[in-house]
Amino acid sequence: MRGVFRIIVVALLLAGCSRSPGEAARDEPADDAPALREGIVTVSGDDAVSETLTWRAPAVEIPADGVDDVLERAGEALQAGNLAIDAGSAVPLYMALSKAAPDDARVRDGLRRALAAVIARGDAALAQAGDDISALREAHQMAAVARAVDGDDKAVLGYLERIDQADTLWDLNREGELALADGDYGEDGGGALAKFREALKLAPGQPRAMQGLAATESAMIRNAEIAADKADFEGAKRWLVAAAKIRPEMSTVPDAAARVERQRSARVARLRDLGVAALAQPDGLEQARRRLAEVLLIALPGDPAAADLRERIDLAEHYGQFRPGQQFTDGLKNGARGPQMVVVPHGAFYMGATKDDDQATDLERPRHPIRFARGLAMSITEVTVGDFRRFINATGRQTRAERRGYSMAYDERSGNFVRMSGVDWRSDYAGNPATDDLPVLHVSARDAEAYAEWLSEQSGHAYRLPSEAEFEYALRAGGATPYPWGTGAPPKGSGNYTGAKDRSPTGRHWNNAFDGYGDGFWGPAPAGRFDANAWQVRDLAGNVSEWVADCWHDGYRRAPSDGTAWLNPGCRTRVVRGGSWASAPVQTRSSWRAPAGVDSTNGRIGFRVVREI
């Protein structure tokens, strides 16, 4: 609750406690107090209210022969919890009865029970008044009623003392919160810490004050992390030392210190990566040396990242002909050109699904860091039918689908994938003749690897299928969101996905699709038709799913950390990555992966290649 709660309640409540029940309080405000109407407490900010500090019992007329009837009504009101709302409430009735029949024991007993109920209700409100201004108001209201009944009663005086303590606690906590909001933490004395600690001396363990201490500690820790973000690790240390004094029994600060050290390590690693990236740029040697100087200012002695960057700088004059983002094609011995490639920058990322991705399974975990020491070149699009045709014409290879005489293709009549005879790499997703600009389909993982081996032989460079880590790294392109584009439906023109607006040739639509999205295709689109990602690679998340080099494993435990393919001799099940034109939205997520038999062929899986540089 924001605002300053200026309460003059207790002084006014206690003043004149010996007055008769109907007499109004007339205390004068202090010179520096805000102007008050008689019996009014002023609260500013979001807590602003006006509450009377005195309570006058409504007038109740009791006929000479009506004592018993009014006594019965008072008892019913008391039982119903109607204490002091109006003239029909228990307290006004009993107070009127005490004047009409002062010697009636029943009246005295009823008034005593009514007063006890008022105090009980006030105490119940006080129990919630630590951070609830409405509860504190109610407690004050009950105090005004109790004082009007009997301001000299011992129980009433005790209750007023409890009100006093609640007001003091409120003020201390509020002042502490305001100091905290202003950044006056009190690490050198005073400030928020002093207020919260004073409140805890008054009421040990009081939740709001305890929360205030924890919030102050958290703010100091945040300042340490901000300092670390700015590479001020000495400043971060000073904040952590101050924070450690607040709740030394807790592990919060040691945990934060570990995070700051991770920030240091991450910053060192980031600077190292920037230095390596600079070496790939023209005249980038001096920039790389400046990055090394930054690393040495913050790194601990013997940091391996600093040693690595120093070594790379020493080698920079004699190494490297590519730069990140560069596009090229290799000439082939037969006079043709290979697929168009783009250099994907080296670096690091976290591979796999986050813990809070509720669409992910354990097959996509644990999320783990991958670091690529070098960049790589990746084909901008999937390998096309035309690309693959040149390979077949040059080698005479018979693909898996050709040898067995069928593949799995889409059947428009049933809306399912079915076995179709005569379908092979020349066919589209539905088994019809494919144009050369479409991604090649109905090829097995071994067919794809054979194409990469042929490219290597023809170009003199090392071509292969991407590793699973390389594929996800390029797909994310520096992002870390569930989908390559972030969250929600894909942006217009970003890819060929299952959209709610898509329609098949006969009017079919997807039961599970991205709401409001349509790309105009039912089946794969020509390669490269949609927007490139931040690293100029296209169709990684959609169009067709793709073979990668890795053998299938049910998760990432013990997976390579350098981005290389995870292989097992003779494995029969490979990994497929990336969504396709017929994939559910959950299968279009950046971390999605699936197993497929090494000889599987169908109308949804194609491939692309990478090249060592």
Side-chain angles (χ1 to χ4, degrees), residues 102 419 540 554 613:
R419 179 185 293 187
L540 283 166
D554 293 338
I613 60 173

Side-chain angles (χ1 to χ4, degrees), residues 350-420:
Y350 275 93
M351 182 177 181
T354 59
K355 291 182 179 179
D356 59 358
D357 186 349
D358 55 9
Q359 297 188 89
T361 69
D362 288 342
L363 300 178
E364 303 170 31
R365 297 185 177 107
R367 189 167 181 253
H368 57 291
I370 298 291
R371 180 173 295 280
F372 296 97
R374 294 180 55 83
L376 70 151
M378 176 175 281
S379 57
I380 294 175
T381 70
E382 309 98 338
V383 172
T384 65
V385 172
D387 294 330
F388 203 75
R389 189 186 304 279
R390 286 188 284 275
F391 158 61
I392 295 296
N393 290 342
T395 63
R397 179 183 174 87
Q398 275 203 320
T399 64
R400 176 64 177 172
E402 287 180 282
R403 293 197 305 273
R404 68 187 177 193
Y406 69 86
S407 185
M408 300 297 291
Y410 177 75
D411 176 37
E412 177 69 19
R413 289 174 299 176
S414 65
N416 295 318
F417 280 84
V418 299
R419 179 185 293 187
M420 276 189 199

Side-chain angles (χ1 to χ4, degrees), residues 62 66-68 70-71 74 92-102 107:
I62 302 179
V67 170
D68 289 343
V70 175
L71 190 60
L93 291 174
Y94 279 123
M95 290 179 71
L97 284 166
S98 68
K99 292 180 179 180
V107 172

